[in-house]
Amino acid sequence: MYDTILSPLNYGGLTLKNRIIFAPTSMGLPRGQWLERLKAIAAGGCAMIVIGDIPVGKHGFGASLYSRKGLEFYQELARVVHGEGCLLCAQLHQSDSDLKAMLKYVPSVLTKRISMEQLRPLLNEQVGPYITSLPEKKVREIIHSFGQAAVRAREAGFDMVQVHGDRMCGSFSSSLYNNRRDEYGGSPENRARFAVEAIQAVREQLPDLPIDYKLAVRQEAPHYGNAGVLEEELKVFVPLLEQAGATSFHVTLANHGSLTDTIPPANHPEFGAEGCFLKFCDQVRQLTELPICGVGGLTDPDFVETQLASGRIDCVAMSRQLIADPDWPRKVAAGEPERIHRCVRCNQRCLGGMMSHQGVHCIYEKGETK
Ligand SMILES: Cc1cc2nc3c(=O)[nH]c(=O)nc-3n(C[C@H](O)[C@H](O)[C@H](O)COP(=O)(O)O)c2cc1C
Ligand code: SF4
């Protein structure tokens, strides 16, 4: 009944044992709890886990690939996840926040005069000027660090990397943020250059490594997403990213609007439905033969099977659904879909937990139900 979901897939040279991936999800949990959560998700039967927001540089939030402690943590993570028969992918991330601009808001945040929700638009305002004025030498250093980070991720035991096409790659891609006058700004080809060179930096270091690209798409009419690639410009970006060395695409809505647009609740006016971002996959499908991973509001096994079987997408990434029930793949394999705790896209304790600094949880924990 769920033959396609349960069938293997060649994903850029890696064999996924089935079509379900845990989407990149920062959890804000202490390391021990984080490891336990990821072990449970791996044990639940998904084919691969993507670890979100791993900084490509030496400084950044989260465990560093460059410190002994950080590397040891990722090695332990790889051991645990592989022990459950699951693969591991590192999402290589470069922030586009201007740290200096952020510092001026710290006192107001600490004294709660500015909430995290109020802080977000203030930081977003800084992105354009920051990207536009970043010195070319710094741009090249950051690009180089994508290659270095990939080497370290490989050493730590990751099976593949995902270049995070939102954040700095997405801001360079965006005509809304990127007003540079050098070869990294202006035409769509120039705005694609940062992402293209980031992929190339990985490819030069590791010729055989599968490289997923998180392709963040901006739509107009109505306007959603500010970073990322405008729908009409996909035809320029997708071939360039493929030629640079990307081996698959993870397609979603672009960031830097509201977080509840990219992580939409069920009552979202535009993206409330199951499979809310698959329309972007349809556009990318016209432009490449590479495997495409869909993400966004995918919870229903019947719906997922239909999308995969029709060839609309090749695999599925789930964030909230595998937080709500890590055993989704195992229950599907056992023919017991009715036992799945279906994510209701309330955002209460996952996104809500992260925003209130309590870490990512779910309403289904500790006997709670919706
Ligand atoms: C708590 C939380 C943290 C997330 N962290 C990241 C992240 O670090 N990197 C990223 O690219 N996407 C992140 N996302 C977005 C997810 O990967 C995914 O695109 C989004 O949640 C929509 O999928 P879903 O409906 O299956 O949750 C996060 C989502 C949630 C809920
Ligand atoms: S808290 Fe709500 S949206 Fe978040 S994972 Fe649980 S059911 Fe899904």
Side-chain angles (χ1 to χ4, degrees), residues 320 324 343-350 362-364:
R320 289 170 293 176
C343 169
V344 292
R345 284 177 260 140
C346 62
N347 279 353
Q348 277 183 40
R349 296 202 59 209
C350 50
C362 177
I363 54 166
Y364 286 112

Side-chain angles (χ1 to χ4, degrees), residues 63-83:
S64 171
L65 287 165
Y66 298 87
S67 73
R68 190 176 53 81
K69 259 187 154 176
L71 208 60
E72 280 172 7
F73 172 73
Y74 289 126
Q75 282 165 342
E76 168 73 352
L77 179 58
R79 195 183 57 71
V80 166
V81 167
H82 288 155

Side-chain angles (χ1 to χ4, degrees), residues 173-204:
S173 304
S174 166
S175 56
L176 297 181
Y177 286 144
N178 180 347
N179 292 306
R180 298 177 70 95
R181 289 164 186 264
D182 60 6
E183 59 179 355
Y184 291 98
S187 66
E189 288 80 359
N190 278 1
R191 282 183 275 111
R193 195 178 305 280
F194 181 91
V196 162
E197 291 184 0
I199 295 171
Q200 283 169 343
V202 176
R203 181 54 72 234
E204 277 162 22

Side-chain angles (χ1 to χ4, degrees), residues 23-26 52-53 91 164 214 262-263 295-297 318-320 360:
T25 305
S26 302
D53 285 1
Q91 182 185 58
H164 198 335
K214 177 160 174 171
T262 46
I263 309 172
V295 67
M318 298 171 173
S319 169
R320 289 170 293 176
V360 168

Side-chain angles (χ1 to χ4, degrees), residues 201-367:
V202 176
R203 181 54 72 234
E204 277 162 22
Q205 294 289 332
L206 297 161
D208 301 322
L209 188 76
I211 306 174
D212 195 30
Y213 187 80
K214 177 160 174 171
L215 183 52
V217 182
R218 165 160 64 99
Q219 84 164 34
E220 296 298 344
H223 170 82
Y224 279 104
N226 288 316
V229 181
L230 186 61
E231 282 175 287
E232 286 77 14
E233 294 179 347
L234 283 168
K235 58 181 178 300
V236 178
F237 277 73
V238 170
L240 288 174
L241 297 167
E242 183 171 342
Q243 283 157 28
T247 52
S248 53
F249 288 105
H250 176 118
V251 183
T252 186
L253 178 74
N255 219 315
H256 286 317
S258 161
L259 265 182
T260 51
D261 293 337
T262 46
I263 309 172
N267 63 1
H268 190 283
E270 181 82 4
F271 300 115
E274 182 87 14
C276 54
F277 303 137
L278 293 184
K279 61 179 182 174
F280 302 131
C281 296
D282 297 337
Q283 299 182 36
V284 178
R285 185 53 103 202
Q286 306 300 315
L287 302 165
T288 180
E289 299 285 315
L290 292 180
I292 295 175
C293 181
V295 67
L298 291 161
T299 68
D300 175 5
D302 292 335
F303 180 85
V304 168
E305 175 66 21
T306 307
Q307 308 313 307
L308 292 168
S310 70
R312 187 178 189 192
I313 47 176
D314 300 286
C315 54
V316 157
M318 298 171 173
S319 169
R320 289 170 293 176
Q321 178 55 67
L322 293 188
I323 293 168
D325 191 346
D327 290 335
W328 192 101
R330 218 151 46 93
K331 289 175 180 171
V332 166
E336 298 174 331
E338 70 287 350
R339 290 188 53 233
I340 290 171
H341 297 180
R342 285 275 290 279
C343 169
V344 292
R345 284 177 260 140
C346 62
N347 279 353
Q348 277 183 40
R349 296 202 59 209
C350 50
L351 184 57
M354 195 168 73
M355 296 306 284
S356 58
H357 303 291
Q358 291 169 351
V360 168
H361 295 278
C362 177
I363 54 166
Y364 286 112
E365 283 175 36
K366 295 186 188 139

